[in-house]
Amino acid sequence: MKKLITLSLALAFVLPLFAQDSTKTTSKNKVWKYNPNRANDHFMIQVGYNGWASKPDTINTKGIPRTFNMYFMFDFPFKTSPRFSVGLGIGLGTDNFYLNKQTIDIAGRNTNTLAFKSDTTYFKKYKIATTFLEVPVELRFAADPDNTNKSWKVAVGGKIGTMLSAMTKGKNLMSSKGGIINTETEKIKSKRYFNSTRLAVTGRISKGVFGIFGSYQINQFIKDGAAGSGSPLYDIRPFTIGLCISGL
């Protein structure tokens, strides 16, 4: 939650500053023309680091968890102030999170509860992969709306997503002494214990087509009661920070 508050405050201060700078650098008689067909981030790709806020210490992780998002966007500029617009789109969001010498039974094959388990045998590479169909919404500001592919841009908003798939993938089963037992790949697909809806707040700052972005999921990643009664609650809230390419 601290990351969410910090991001919101930072963007709240930055947005007016961009507006002031834009006014100073343009002519007093400059009139921004309303152009609904202008270029303004109609296509967006995001690559970043995927973290789990509120992750309990019992979950062991390793490697660099990754996010890849791709969106097609519509841009609706304000007629009275074309530097501001609303972005609305659709796309896919994918996350990969890696466990260290642990597995998770997302299908409930052994028990009716979700648990992160550490055994004497383990997979050398083991990940949880999720894919969401997402609808992002942004309030946008462009310092130069006539040349957005070179302008400073700021956007704040949110996205709602529905889970298309959730999967665990383990490769190279190892013994407790580090020897390879087999090289088979185990894949298990199930959405049973995950919230099928994702709600997140988002923000990004760009200069031309390159920028940085961040997001924070405000609802729980794992369902209430998934761990069973008397077990710890997995109140995990995924967040992402990374690089963004946007244009067209």
Side-chain angles (χ1 to χ4, degrees):
M1 182 59 76
K2 290 182 179 179
K3 296 182 178 69
L4 171 61
I5 295 173
T6 302
L7 176 63
S8 301
L9 289 175
L11 291 172
F13 281 110
V14 168
L15 187 59
L17 290 175
F18 279 132
Q20 292 174 9
D21 291 343
S22 175
T23 303
K24 291 179 181 178
T25 57
T26 57
S27 170
K28 293 181 179 180
N29 298 323
K30 176 68 175 180
V31 177
W32 302 107
K33 295 181 179 180
Y34 171 70
N35 179 10
N37 299 316
R38 68 185 181 179
N40 195 25
D41 296 351
H42 289 92
F43 180 69
M44 188 158 51
I45 292 177
Q46 298 174 339
V47 179
Y49 170 88
N50 169 229
W52 282 2
S54 303
K55 176 181 69 66
D57 294 336
T58 53
I59 299 178
N60 301 322
T61 63
K62 71 174 183 179
I64 302 176
R66 296 185 291 273
T67 288
F68 177 82
N69 306 322
M70 182 174 64
Y71 305 111
F72 296 95
M73 305 287 292
F74 294 97
D75 184 65
F76 303 98
F78 293 3
K79 289 185 178 181
T80 56
S81 183
R83 285 182 294 176
F84 290 90
S85 65
V86 172
L88 175 65
I90 191 168
L92 294 176
T94 62
D95 298 323
N96 291 285
F97 203 80
Y98 299 88
L99 299 182
N100 182 27
K101 297 183 180 181
Q102 283 187 320
T103 59
I104 177 174
D105 183 12
I106 61 172
R109 297 183 305 173
N110 300 319
T111 64
N112 289 323
T113 58
L114 182 71
F116 292 82
K117 297 181 179 180
S118 300
D119 298 317
T120 54
T121 59
Y122 61 92
F123 288 100
K124 185 176 182 179
K125 296 180 180 180
Y126 191 86
K127 72 175 181 178
I128 304 169
T130 57
T131 302
F132 287 84
L133 177 67
E134 297 184 316
V135 176
V137 181
E138 296 180 327
L139 174 62
R140 298 171 165 182
F141 172 82
D144 183 359
D146 294 334
N147 193 13
T148 56
N149 285 336
K150 294 184 179 180
S151 170
W152 279 103
K153 295 171 289 187
V154 178
V156 293
K159 60 183 179 179
I160 181 171
T162 182
M163 181 178 283
L164 298 180
S165 69
M167 178 185 72
T168 59
K169 180 179 179 181
K171 186 176 181 180
N172 293 340
L173 185 64
M174 311 293 289
S175 69
S176 59
K177 296 182 180 180
I180 297 178
I181 298 176
N182 67 60
T183 58
E184 295 181 0
T185 298
E186 178 189 83
K187 294 182 181 180
I188 300 174
K189 293 185 177 181
S190 177
K191 300 185 289 183
R192 178 176 179 178
Y193 297 112
F194 300 104
N195 274 323
S196 59
T197 299
R198 172 156 72 180
L199 301 173
V201 292
T202 62
R204 62 187 179 93
I205 300 175
S206 303
K207 178 65 167 67
V209 298
F210 299 104
I212 57 175
F213 80 98
S215 69
Y216 180 88
Q217 183 168 329
I218 59 178
N219 65 323
Q220 292 179 190
F221 178 53
I222 296 174
K223 291 179 180 178
D224 276 336
S229 60
S231 299
L233 175 67
Y234 294 123
D235 186 17
I236 295 171
R237 311 290 175 115
F239 66 91
T240 303
I241 54 174
L243 302 177
C244 177
I245 299 176
S246 59
L248 301 180

